[in-house]
Amino acid sequence: AVASTVAVFTSLSVDDQLAVLWYAYTEMGRSITPAATGAARLQLAEGLLNQIKQMTHEEQLQVMRDLAAKKNTKFCRSYGILSANTKLAFWYELSELMVKGFVVPMPSNYQLSRDGVQVLETLKELDFGQQITVLRKVVTDMGVDPLAD
Ligand code: 45D
């Protein structure tokens, strides 16, 4: 179930990928404790998060779309060197910044595709450990690994 969920997620449009991540966060948010994400991990992502905070909403959305689309930008390369759990912590913190109003909000009328709805439904049925495995895999695939050929 984990592998197929990741596969369908990866086939989604960039916007649907961002939307599914957001909905996953809103469902799981309370089970992911800030203690679990770890201050040390966030420190490594802090530079990137600070850059995002200083951007306009349009630029913030562009950066997130670039990450999902694996565009070869400076930001995507900096993201690429983070560890898998730091990448998760980065996305978690972005969601928190969205809730606090520092990052572009999710449009309330967003229409998720059928595949997007399906990924979300499958994700909800997995246990917490499997959910984290799926999320870790999808955020690890985002950005650009500057050390890869
Ligand atoms: O206009 O370190 C659209 C543990 C449409 C422990 C849009 C852990 C067009 C160890 C594109 C939709 C494993 C528990 C706009 C960590 C449009 C550890 C905008 C786990 C505006 C870290 C869309 C942590 C936007 C976990 C802005 C499980 C979407 C963390 C933004 C999980 C979506 C984190 C965002 C998750 C989603 C974060 C920011 C699920 C973030 C999700």
Side-chain angles (χ1 to χ4, degrees):
V2 167
S4 61
T5 309
V6 170
V8 183
F9 181 95
T10 313
S11 76
L12 298 175
S13 72
V14 160
D15 280 14
D16 268 13
Q17 292 187 20
L18 294 177
V20 167
L21 275 185
W22 169 254
Y23 296 135
Y25 161 80
T26 60
E27 298 279 336
M28 297 174 69
R30 265 154 277 125
S31 11
I32 314 164
T33 63
T37 62
R41 291 190 205 295
L42 269 178
Q43 239 164 9
L44 298 169
E46 204 172 68
L48 293 180
L49 291 163
N50 282 335
Q51 286 180 45
I52 290 189
K53 278 192 245 181
Q54 271 144 41
M55 293 174 181
T56 64
H57 280 183
E58 258 171 62
E59 291 167 334
Q60 291 170 339
L61 179 56
Q62 190 58 51
V63 162
M64 287 188 260
R65 282 174 165 157
D66 287 351
L67 286 172
K70 304 158 76 67
K71 274 234 204 136
N72 194 0
T73 64
K74 187 162 180 279
F75 195 98
C76 286
R77 291 191 297 272
S78 305
Y79 173 91
I81 61 172
L82 301 174
S83 72
N85 276 345
T86 302
K87 286 173 182 162
L88 268 182
F90 165 85
W91 283 100
Y92 178 79
E93 188 58 23
L94 268 189
S95 308
E96 296 280 288
L97 291 172
M98 284 170 72
V99 172
K100 292 178 191 149
F102 292 115
V103 169
V104 57
M106 182 70 201
S108 55
N109 59 350
Y110 186 71
Q111 277 286 320
L112 196 58
S113 68
R114 272 183 59 192
D115 279 351
V117 172
Q118 195 221 306
V119 173
L120 205 57
E121 291 306 313
T122 316
L123 200 54
K124 280 187 206 168
E125 280 156 25
L126 300 178
D127 64 44
F128 187 65
Q130 290 177 314
Q131 290 175 340
I132 287 179
T133 304
V134 170
L135 291 169
R136 190 187 281 121
K137 181 84 179 87
V138 302
V139 303
T140 303
D141 287 346
M142 290 180 175
V144 172
D145 180 353
L147 299 177
D149 54 48

